[in-house]
Amino acid sequence: MPAEGFDHQREMPVTPPVSAIPPEVTGSTPGRGRMRDSPVTRVLDLRPADGGDPARHRQRFWVRTRNRLDDQPLLHVCALTYISDLSLASTASLPYRTEATMMISSLDHAVWFHRPCRADEWLLFAQHSTNAAGARGLVNGEFFTQDGKLVASVMQEVLMRPIGPPPERHLPNDR
């Protein structure tokens, strides 16, 4: 069978459809407080699909650019590459956020593009930390279109070090 006849992929994780997630969910934006009020959210629409799961070392969210992009495929590849580096490191630190404030730095980052995609259309970014030991974490991620096509895979190795006590958590009624 010729190589172009092969077409299989991992199944998209089961998550709520983006249409079921309100545009702004206070307190559960990927990246927690740092990304919620950053310039990133002015150019990207981020909607948490699961709010992050520290026990399973994963987080998933829907993402797209807020504005329509030109039809140049390279522009969409560049935008997706940028998006891929926003939250992988924080996924590795999910289980440790209640223990300490973490200093996190990317050591390496790779992206594999499987199919053409548009960064201005909804993509599910499913991330999972496969290992954390010796102050390093390894995270993989996958981008899926709304109809379940795997368009890109990413891997990132991060350096993680505790630098202080965990940040204080304030409840909405705290004063």
Side-chain angles (χ1 to χ4, degrees):
M1 177 181 259
E4 60 270 0
F6 293 111
D7 191 4
H8 73 278
Q9 66 178 35
R10 193 170 98 71
E11 242 179 74
M12 183 169 89
V14 176
T15 59
V18 70
S19 59
I21 303 170
E24 295 187 7
V25 180
T26 305
S28 60
T29 303
R32 307 291 182 217
R34 282 186 53 195
M35 197 181 308
R36 185 179 328 121
D37 300 320
S38 77
V40 169
T41 58
R42 286 186 224 135
V43 295
L44 297 177
D45 192 349
L46 301 159
R47 300 191 189 179
D50 67 2
D53 186 343
R56 293 186 180 169
H57 307 239
R58 74 173 192 211
Q59 64 179 342
R60 299 171 179 162
F61 60 90
W62 291 98
V63 60
R64 70 176 176 187
T65 61
R66 289 194 181 274
N67 296 317
R68 182 132 177 99
L69 301 177
D70 289 338
D71 291 334
Q72 301 169 17
L74 184 57
L75 181 60
H76 293 272
V77 165
C78 291
L80 190 71
T81 301
Y82 174 79
I83 292 167
S84 75
D85 195 33
L86 292 177
S87 59
L88 286 170
S90 69
T91 302
S93 70
L94 275 173
Y96 311 106
R97 290 185 187 160
T98 58
E99 299 172 19
T101 296
M102 304 292 287
M103 182 279 305
I104 305 169
S105 181
S106 175
L107 297 173
D108 56 42
H109 186 98
V111 183
W112 294 269
F113 294 92
H114 311 302
R115 293 168 181 82
C117 70
R118 294 193 61 96
D120 55 5
E121 294 178 358
W122 287 113
L123 297 167
L124 177 68
F125 189 16
Q127 305 163 59
H128 180 259
S129 178
T130 58
N131 189 58
R136 291 184 176 204
L138 184 66
V139 184
N140 63 43
E142 297 168 314
F143 285 92
F144 294 89
T145 60
Q146 286 189 81
D147 61 355
K149 288 188 175 75
L150 177 65
V151 295
S153 299
V154 298
M155 291 287 290
Q156 186 172 50
E157 183 181 23
V158 298
L159 178 66
M160 302 184 304
R161 295 213 171 123
I163 58 171
E168 289 184 37
R169 302 285 183 203
H170 296 284
L171 299 175
N173 293 330
D174 285 355
R175 296 205 165 133

